[in-house]
Structures are given as C-alpha cells and as structure tokens.
Amino acid sequence: MYARRVRQHAEPGAVVADGQEAAMKIRTLGVIAAGAAIGYALNTESGRQKLAQLKDAGGRFLGRPDVQARTADLADKAKQRTGSLPQPVQNIANQTIDKAQQATSRAGSNGSAPGPA
C-alpha cells in the first residue's frame, strides 16, 4: 500500500498517495504543452492550410460509397443493440446514432469533414 500523507492546502482530512501529486503536475504540464503546440500550429498559415487539407481528405473519405454503406450498416446494428436498454436511454442512443449518421452523410455530400452540431 502507498504511504499516504495529508496535503497542506487540501481540505482537512484529505489524503493523497505520495506519487499522485507529481503525476498530476506532469499531466497538467503535458496538457498545457499540447494546447500550446496546437494553438501555435493553427495560428500559422501553414497550420491552417494543413487543417484545410485534412478536412478535405476527411470529406473525400466519408463520401466514398463503401464508407457510406458501412456507416449505414453500423448504424443499423447499433440501433438493434439498443433494444435491450431502458426506453429513455434507448431514445437518446437512437437520436445520437441518427445524428452521427446524418453528419457523416452530410460530410460526404459536401466533401468536407463533419463539424460540431
């Protein structure tokens, strides 16, 4: 079992494993570094061009007939699997499946990747 200690700036009685605080700091620094790298790449002209190329490639991929057919097949299978779920959950799952299928179809017909709904 890990040696435990009480953090000084935490609520009274809060117990944290010794290595947990260091892992949290490393994870936070990783997220900040990744965010900075993405922000830098998207703020450069070449980064925006690369993003546009990726979106176009995604749209071309989603527009392929075999991808469209596979998407429809997977949506049908997913809807069949929701039958054993409680009704409210089943409704939400089916709505989500429909939205994903529509976004894929729209992206394929537009030649661009789906964006946020």
Side-chain angles (χ1 to χ4, degrees), residues 78-79 82 85 88-98:
K79 283 186 178 183
T82 62
L85 298 172
V89 177
Q90 184 180 5
N91 292 342
I92 292 171
N94 286 334
Q95 288 173 0
T96 304
I97 292 166
D98 289 339

Side-chain angles (χ1 to χ4, degrees), residues 20-77:
Q20 204 172 19
E21 190 171 341
M24 181 80 99
K25 286 180 182 178
I26 291 171
R27 189 176 306 131
T28 302
L29 287 174
V31 168
I32 290 171
I38 291 169
Y40 176 78
L42 293 179
N43 271 333
T44 62
E45 182 64 30
S46 63
R48 286 190 294 272
Q49 288 174 353
K50 185 66 174 172
L51 180 61
Q53 289 173 353
L54 289 172
K55 286 176 73 175
D56 290 342
R60 286 191 308 273
F61 174 76
L62 292 174
R64 291 176 25 194
D66 59 327
V67 174
Q68 292 286 326
R70 183 71 175 144
T71 301
D73 183 45
L74 289 173
D76 291 340
K77 287 181 182 179

Side-chain angles (χ1 to χ4, degrees), residues 95-110:
Q95 288 173 0
T96 304
I97 292 166
D98 289 339
K99 284 182 182 180
Q101 190 174 11
Q102 289 169 2
T104 304
S105 297
R106 237 187 352 262
S109 65
N110 293 347

